[in-house]
Amino acid sequence: MKSLSRSNKILSLIIIILMALLIIVFHQKQELYYAQKYEQAIPHIHLESAMVFNGNNAVGSITGFVKFPSYEEQPKQFWQYYTIEATNDYDTNGKQLFIFEELTRLSSMSLRSFGREPLTITSNTPQQLTLEGEAGHIFTINKQTGEVEIIESGGGVVSLITDESEYQDFALARE
């Protein structure tokens, strides 16, 4: 009787260990799956929100995947990224200048840049920075969270996904 009880305990322990290993392998597979999707979608692009604000000045850059308001509007097989970079240059009014770059990639083509465009400050409060480009895009950066909202020249509103985990959540929701 004791040997049967002992073998049941050993068997239960083995089952628990195998279940734990199965869960670990499943999570690793999920991470690899999204890492692969991420690499396919954005090769050579590093999503980041690395802009630091010190008073009225900023240092660093923000690079993000353009996210449309609804998944239905999000183009398939087309990836669009925006980079906003703080410069050490100032306009004639003493306001810091920024540079905007749009990068796109179609599934069958390599990454393409549409060039760099200067951005000027239209509003700078302790909570947010608002920039405007020559093409009419308006960028609002939340200084505390690093979130970026863009009102495009045509009136559409998009936001930026600036970290890999947020991109994974976005990709999962689109499937």
Side-chain angles (χ1 to χ4, degrees), residues 87-107:
T87 71
N88 292 324
D89 299 327
Y90 295 84
D91 66 11
T92 55
N93 297 324
K95 293 181 180 178
Q96 186 176 14
L97 295 174
F98 293 77
I99 298 292
F100 163 68
E101 183 175 19
E102 179 180 358
L103 302 158
T104 60
R105 180 176 181 271
L106 291 168
S107 59

Side-chain angles (χ1 to χ4, degrees), residues 7-175:
S7 61
N8 281 345
K9 287 180 181 178
I10 291 173
L11 186 58
S12 295
L13 182 62
I14 290 171
I15 290 172
I16 290 171
I17 291 171
L18 288 175
M19 287 178 62
L21 287 173
L22 184 63
I23 290 170
I24 291 169
V25 168
F26 175 77
H27 283 286
Q28 287 176 341
K29 182 182 176 211
Q30 286 294 99
E31 287 177 15
L32 288 173
Y33 173 74
Y34 286 110
Q36 179 188 16
K37 287 187 75 78
Y38 178 79
E39 284 301 316
Q40 287 174 343
I42 51 175
H44 312 298
I45 297 285
H46 178 70
L47 299 179
E48 67 180 354
S49 182
M51 190 172 287
V52 179
F53 297 93
N54 183 13
N56 286 332
N57 293 321
V59 176
S61 65
I62 297 172
T63 300
F65 174 75
V66 176
K67 177 183 168 191
F68 286 71
S70 70
Y71 297 119
E72 294 80 28
E73 295 178 58
Q74 196 75 35
K76 305 279 189 227
Q77 305 300 316
F78 178 75
W79 295 273
Q80 184 178 19
Y81 310 92
Y82 288 167
T83 297
I84 303 165
E85 181 182 337
T87 71
N88 292 324
D89 299 327
Y90 295 84
D91 66 11
T92 55
N93 297 324
K95 293 181 180 178
Q96 186 176 14
L97 295 174
F98 293 77
I99 298 292
F100 163 68
E101 183 175 19
E102 179 180 358
L103 302 158
T104 60
R105 180 176 181 271
L106 291 168
S107 59
S108 60
M109 298 175 70
S110 62
L111 196 62
R112 178 176 178 227
S113 171
F114 284 91
R116 297 166 60 90
E117 174 185 341
L119 300 174
T120 56
I121 296 174
T122 58
S123 173
N124 192 357
T125 68
Q127 292 79 29
Q128 73 181 26
L129 174 67
T130 305
L131 306 166
E132 187 170 355
E134 293 173 343
H137 290 37
I138 298 172
F139 301 83
T140 303
I141 303 169
N142 183 314
K143 291 182 178 181
Q144 280 77 37
T145 64
E147 293 175 357
V148 180
E149 182 179 88
I150 301 104
I151 301 172
E152 296 180 323
S153 57
V157 177
V158 296
S159 60
L160 295 184
I161 294 176
T162 58
D163 67 40
E164 291 182 33
S165 63
E166 190 180 349
Y167 179 81
Q168 287 178 359
D169 294 342
F170 172 78
L172 180 63
R174 282 188 68 192
E175 291 183 348

